Amino acid sequence: MLRIHFTGDDLARVRMAVRPDELWETILSFHRLRERRRALVFGEWRSETRARLNGETRLLAPMVPPQGYFPDFLTPPEGGSGLDAGLEALRATPPGRLHSELALAAAGRGGAAVLPGRLAALAEGDPEPLARLVGVLRSYYRAAIEPYWPHIQARVEADRAVRGRALLDGGAGELLASLPPVLRWRAPVLEADYPVERELHLDGRRLLLQPSFFCRGTPVVYRDAALPPVLVYPAVHNCAPAFSETGGPSLGKLVGHTRSAVLQAIRFGCTTSELARRAGVSLASASQHAAVLREAGLVVTLRHGNAVLHTLTPLGAALLRGGATAEAAG
């Protein structure tokens, strides 16, 4: 069981990540790559990604097991500012930390105190093995994450919109209560089923909520309680393939003033009722327009309680900004 303990000050300090974290998505996607479950959702992505890989898994597999602990240094807090910032922070990891966290990863797999060859060289903190790891992570990212980044970003943005609405409606407590069912808010404790017993006391530190496309099942926190606290949790998915094609014939339907008004109305996220009111159309018409935009890959729709919440995808936002940007995103 994972239990995160909040005081009143801790609740006031909770914040949402402003964007997906490329390194968290990279490492968590490596778990999805090797599992056999969720074939409908991730099967096509696995096939496409494996075809693009060129030996990256040989270095990553020993330190990122299919289940359980993987080193905290692989997902530094600086990754929230982008892939380059995260990789530079990883490159600067002190040798002592490299050795201790890699030893923990090896022990978690039933390994001995002596690290295997590749990990032993990395644990010494020599620049060459560390540079090789950075290169492998970047290469894996380009194969597994970068081609799908607009879709990942759209899903995380949709999740952020749901959490933001909960925060506006009821404050931090409502925000925590709105998190996916794998997390349970029982004030003043947020808990989840977890592979090991973890008690995380925030002690006035700001908890970062990081929705993740590739996080499935259980949420993830750093093992090292001294690191800035972050809770990585699964962004809401449906049961359709994770990366369905966008565009196609549905985009041809996107004409006329009414649908343009509907797209404008969804710009900052809204429910179907709010969409109907903003666009000046009936509830049935608003639902129909949203469905067409969703089929065209311009809108993401998520259920929030008894309502549904519509938000723009990066392609939808680009189309709203103007032709050149939309054409590039397409």
Side-chain angles (χ1 to χ4, degrees):
M1 185 75 73
L2 166 68
R3 298 179 184 87
I4 304 177
H5 299 263
F6 291 80
T7 65
D9 287 343
D10 295 330
L11 276 175
R13 292 171 180 268
V14 172
R15 65 187 178 98
M16 286 292 303
V18 299
R19 62 197 299 274
D21 186 304
E22 283 97 332
L23 278 177
W24 275 111
E25 298 297 348
T26 295
I27 298 302
L28 293 173
S29 76
F30 194 54
H31 287 84
R32 305 289 79 80
L33 185 72
R34 291 175 295 170
E35 70 180 4
R36 296 183 179 180
R37 298 177 299 159
R38 306 180 180 97
L40 174 62
V41 178
F42 291 112
E44 186 175 350
W45 167 80
R46 288 184 192 126
S47 297
E48 293 175 355
T49 296
R50 285 169 181 155
R52 284 190 288 262
L53 290 173
N54 188 28
E56 290 84 355
T57 59
R58 287 197 296 272
L59 179 59
L60 294 179
M63 70 179 75
V64 184
Q67 295 179 331
Y69 173 76
F70 58 85
D72 291 337
F73 71 76
L74 292 173
T75 53
E78 291 84 353
S81 300
L83 181 67
D84 290 337
L87 290 177
E88 282 306 307
L90 192 157
R91 192 193 298 269
T93 306
R97 183 179 171 193
L98 287 172
H99 190 279
S100 62
E101 293 188 7
L102 288 170
L104 277 173
R109 300 183 57 161
V114 178
L115 293 170
R118 286 194 181 95
L119 296 191
L122 180 61
E124 294 302 318
D126 291 339
E128 185 177 342
L130 201 51
R132 189 181 306 121
L133 172 61
V134 168
V136 164
L137 285 170
R138 190 183 295 277
S139 179
Y140 178 87
Y141 169 84
R142 287 171 177 164
I145 305 298
E146 191 173 56
Y148 310 98
W149 188 249
H151 190 100
I152 294 169
Q153 193 172 27
R155 281 292 172 184
V156 170
E157 284 296 329
D159 190 278
R160 275 172 43 83
V162 170
R163 309 306 155 215
R165 178 169 292 271
L167 179 64
L168 289 173
D169 288 347
E174 184 66 23
L175 164 63
L176 296 174
S178 79
L179 292 171
V182 296
L183 289 152
R184 300 176 293 276
W185 173 236
R186 295 172 179 168
V189 178
L190 182 65
E191 65 180 32
D193 294 332
Y194 210 64
V196 297
E197 289 293 324
R198 288 293 310 277
E199 304 285 340
L200 177 58
H201 295 268
L202 298 174
D203 297 326
R205 296 176 299 163
R206 179 177 294 175
L207 177 67
L208 176 68
L209 299 176
Q210 177 70 65
S212 166
F213 185 89
F214 283 103
C215 181
R216 301 288 92 202
T218 60
V220 186
V221 297
Y222 287 132
R223 186 185 189 281
D224 185 352
L227 291 171
V230 59
L231 176 66
V232 182
Y233 68 88
V236 177
H237 277 240
N238 52 35
C239 294
F243 301 104
S244 54
E245 293 292 329
T246 60
S250 296
L251 278 176
K253 301 176 184 177
L254 191 61
V255 293
H257 296 295
T258 301
R259 196 154 291 144
S260 296
V262 168
L263 198 61
Q264 287 277 0
I266 298 174
R267 179 191 292 267
F268 300 111
C270 62
T271 65
T272 305
S273 299
E274 291 168 340
L275 174 59
R277 184 169 62 252
R278 292 176 187 177
V281 297
S282 69
L283 196 62
S285 180
S287 181
Q288 181 183 14
H289 285 304
V292 171
L293 295 171
R294 186 167 58 250
E295 292 167 6
L298 305 175
V299 166
V300 171
T301 301
L302 293 177
R303 181 162 293 279
H304 177 51
N306 294 325
V308 293
L309 184 65
H310 310 287
T311 59
L312 295 182
T313 66
L315 179 61
L319 187 61
L320 206 55
R321 287 196 299 269
T325 309
E327 199 171 51

